[in-house]
Every structure is written in C-alpha cells, then in structure tokens.
Amino acid sequence: MRSRSNPSASVALLWMCLAVAAPAAAQVAREPGGPFGALVRADESLNPREALTPLTDVRASLLPGVDGAWNDLVLDQGDWNAFVDSRNGRIESAEGTGIPWIPGTGNRLRKEDLGLAGKDVVGLEVLERIARTFIV
C-alpha cells in the first residue's frame, strides 16, 4: 500500500517556514549617515547613567552602619578603595588586597581553618562556601 502525503500538511509546513524566515530577513542594520539618520531620536532617560561616586567623596554622608563596616574592613585588611551608589548610599564595588581565601605561601591561612584537614585540593564547594560567608 502506497502512502500519500497530505497536501494541507505540506502547505502548513511551508507557511511555518516562511513565517520563521520572514522576520530574520526584515532585520537589517541601519546604515550610519543613511537617509533615515536624521529621523533617529535618542531618549537619554532610557540609558541611565551610573551613579557611582568614590567613597572618599561621600564619606560624611554614609549611613552609620555602612561607614562603621567600612572602617572595620580597612582596619583589618589595609588599603582598599570603594565606590558608592549615590542613589541608595551603599557600597557598589570595592577593591583591594590581603583577604586570603585558600591556604598558600602568601598568607597564614591553614587548611584546618577551612575544615579541610587531610584534603589536598580546595574544591568548588569550599570556594562557594567561602564566597557566601564573605558576602554576608
């Protein structure tokens, strides 16, 4: 017995292929300085500026808890820099050196301090635990 194809299924498949391909063909990059360049309007409110300010510039206006925590970090770890988000008054990013995560020749951290006595390798689960503890 010979199988016959369903013409309506073939037509539906063809329409689906065309429907998927049509939007891809319509996406064309705008040419710089092209004929429609003068019609382009950019709304600056759609591109919010970063509101980062060096910590040293806004130190007096920090919340007491933020300022105290920063003082503790600097006292414990040394010279660090930070940027504050002026929209909420919190530290957005900080950078510096001196906080060891894993035991090594450049620090006094021991495997026992991390609960790794007897293990040779610091695995991903240990690094994740350290990172989560550090963030909180």
Side-chain angles (χ1 to χ4, degrees):
M1 176 173 223
R2 187 172 162 192
S3 132
R4 299 175 76 187
S5 63
N6 184 353
S8 61
S10 299
V11 171
L13 181 62
L14 177 64
W15 277 111
M16 286 177 57
C17 291
L18 289 174
V20 171
Q27 300 295 322
V28 178
R30 181 177 56 87
E31 295 179 22
F36 298 110
L39 300 175
V40 174
R41 300 285 182 252
D43 186 355
E44 290 300 320
S45 67
L46 298 176
N47 293 323
R49 295 185 322 255
E50 288 188 11
L52 299 181
T53 308
L55 178 75
T56 55
D57 293 353
V58 293
R59 192 76 192 254
S61 65
L62 289 178
L63 298 171
V66 175
D67 189 44
W70 185 257
N71 284 335
D72 291 345
L73 176 76
V74 172
L75 286 174
D76 289 343
Q77 303 303 327
D79 189 28
W80 275 62
N81 298 318
F83 289 91
V84 174
D85 186 338
S86 61
R87 295 171 291 197
N88 61 21
R90 297 184 181 190
I91 294 176
E92 174 70 25
S93 65
E95 61 184 6
T97 60
I99 300 177
W101 280 28
I102 58 174
T105 57
N107 61 54
R108 295 186 182 123
L109 194 61
R110 300 173 303 145
K111 288 184 181 183
E112 293 79 20
D113 297 335
L114 302 176
L116 298 175
K119 294 184 179 179
D120 291 336
V121 179
V122 177
L124 184 59
E125 67 281 348
V126 174
L127 291 174
E128 180 183 2
R129 180 172 40 93
I130 295 168
R132 290 182 184 277
T133 303
F134 183 72
I135 291 172
V136 177

